[in-house]
Amino acid sequence: AQSVAQPEDQVNVAEGNPLTVKCTYSVSGNPYLFWYVQYPNRGLQFLLKYITGDNLVKGSYGFEAEFNKSQTSFHLKKPSALVSDSALYFCAVRDEAAGNKLTFGGGTRVLVKP
Amino acid sequence: DTEVTQTPKHLVMGMTNKKSLKCEQHMGHRAMYWYKQKAKKPPELMFVYSYEKLSINESVPSRFSPECPNSSLLNLHLHALQPEDSALYLCASSQEGTSGRDTYEQYFGPGTRLTVT
């Protein structure tokens, strides 16, 4: 079985400050990890993924994430948040043996204040 | 082009109606998905099509009937829905690796907001 936890329902940050959205996962095999963002009344937009290789992954819109195998974490980061980053963020995982079935975390709402 | 399109954007239907949701992608993806999303919740997988064949049905009630007419199109036929089926229905697509263990991200459409009265 595979699962994802996003421990924070909401993260508040001032514009220009660093943004971190936390994610931990559980899989039985090697994890494939993804971050998505959802703006109001829109579908999910792909931000970045970790499959293998370098633990620091860079993605769209200045976001990056660090894979930490020992802590089973895949936290999303942005060095300097923008008001336009305010949205709902989902972490997702696939076990390599699970076919193409994604399991999503519960989501974290990010509010960036001017 | 990483666009998945869905029609209609909004749909209101009665419990005795029959309607269909449509999804289209032209990225050459061979895996397509239907998800249901309630407000402020993560998407819940409903169905997966792989090479136009149904590969995953997450125990979805039979009032939801998926169809994949070709590699670019995915439909979701709705019949005798309940008010609790009101939600945002998302379509997604992804590439498939030749081994079936693809590592490709899913691309989502904007969704159809369904209200069942």
Side-chain angles (χ1 to χ4, degrees):
Chain A
Q2 53 191 36
S3 65
V4 183
Q6 293 180 242
E8 300 158 316
D9 289 336
Q10 181 160 325
V11 169
N12 297 316
V13 63
E15 187 175 31
N17 282 2
L19 169 63
T20 298
V21 186
K22 296 179 180 177
C23 171
T24 58
Y25 66 89
S26 174
V27 296
S28 54
N30 289 324
Y32 300 149
L33 294 155
F34 304 83
W35 274 102
Y36 287 87
V37 61
Q38 186 174 32
Y39 296 97
N41 299 312
R42 302 290 299 275
L44 278 68
Q45 294 180 31
F46 168 72
L47 283 177
L48 50 79
K49 66 182 178 183
Y50 172 83
I51 304 301
T52 186
D54 194 347
N55 289 343
L56 184 63
V57 178
K58 293 187 183 297
S60 306
Y61 313 118
F63 284 96
E64 58 188 31
E66 186 166 12
F67 172 66
N68 187 316
K69 188 172 182 178
S70 63
Q71 297 186 4
T72 62
S73 67
F74 189 57
H75 301 331
L76 181 70
K77 299 181 181 183
K78 187 171 184 179
S80 177
L82 301 172
V83 172
S84 57
D85 294 327
S86 298
L88 185 56
Y89 291 79
F90 290 103
C91 181
V93 68
R94 264 186 52 212
D95 187 314
E96 64 177 344
N100 42 14
K101 180 178 176 179
L102 273 183
T103 296
F104 287 90
T108 298
R109 184 163 303 279
V110 170
L111 181 59
V112 182
K113 297 182 179 179
Chain B
D1 182 11
T2 56
E3 188 179 25
V4 177
T5 59
Q6 290 187 244
T7 56
K9 288 186 177 181
H10 301 276
L11 178 62
V12 179
M13 61 184 291
M15 290 188 284
T16 59
N17 291 158
K18 286 185 180 181
K19 297 286 185 182
S20 296
L21 309 184
K22 298 184 183 299
C23 173
E24 189 167 8
Q25 57 89 14
H26 293 289
M27 295 178 278
H29 291 171
R30 302 310 296 271
M32 297 187 75
Y33 312 76
W34 280 115
Y35 289 87
K36 174 183 177 180
Q37 187 181 26
K38 290 283 199 177
K40 301 181 181 180
K41 297 292 185 182
E44 301 172 24
L45 183 65
M46 301 174 71
F47 303 103
V48 180
Y49 273 83
S50 176
Y51 290 90
E52 294 123 68
K53 295 189 185 305
L54 184 64
S55 60
I56 296 177
N57 177 341
E58 290 287 282
S59 302
V60 179
S62 60
R63 58 185 183 268
F64 295 92
S65 176
E67 178 195 21
C68 189
N70 60 54
S71 60
S72 300
L73 293 174
L74 186 67
N75 299 322
L76 186 63
H77 302 298
L78 314 173
H79 174 56
L81 295 192
Q82 303 297 310
E84 59 264 29
D85 296 322
S86 299
L88 182 67
Y89 287 84
L90 296 167
C91 173
S93 71
S94 68
Q95 290 180 280
E96 286 253 353
T98 55
S99 69
R101 291 184 175 183
D102 70 280
T103 60
Y104 301 111
E105 59 276 16
Q106 295 180 20
Y107 290 93
F108 285 78
T112 294
R113 174 77 57 191
L114 174 67
T115 302
V116 182
T117 60

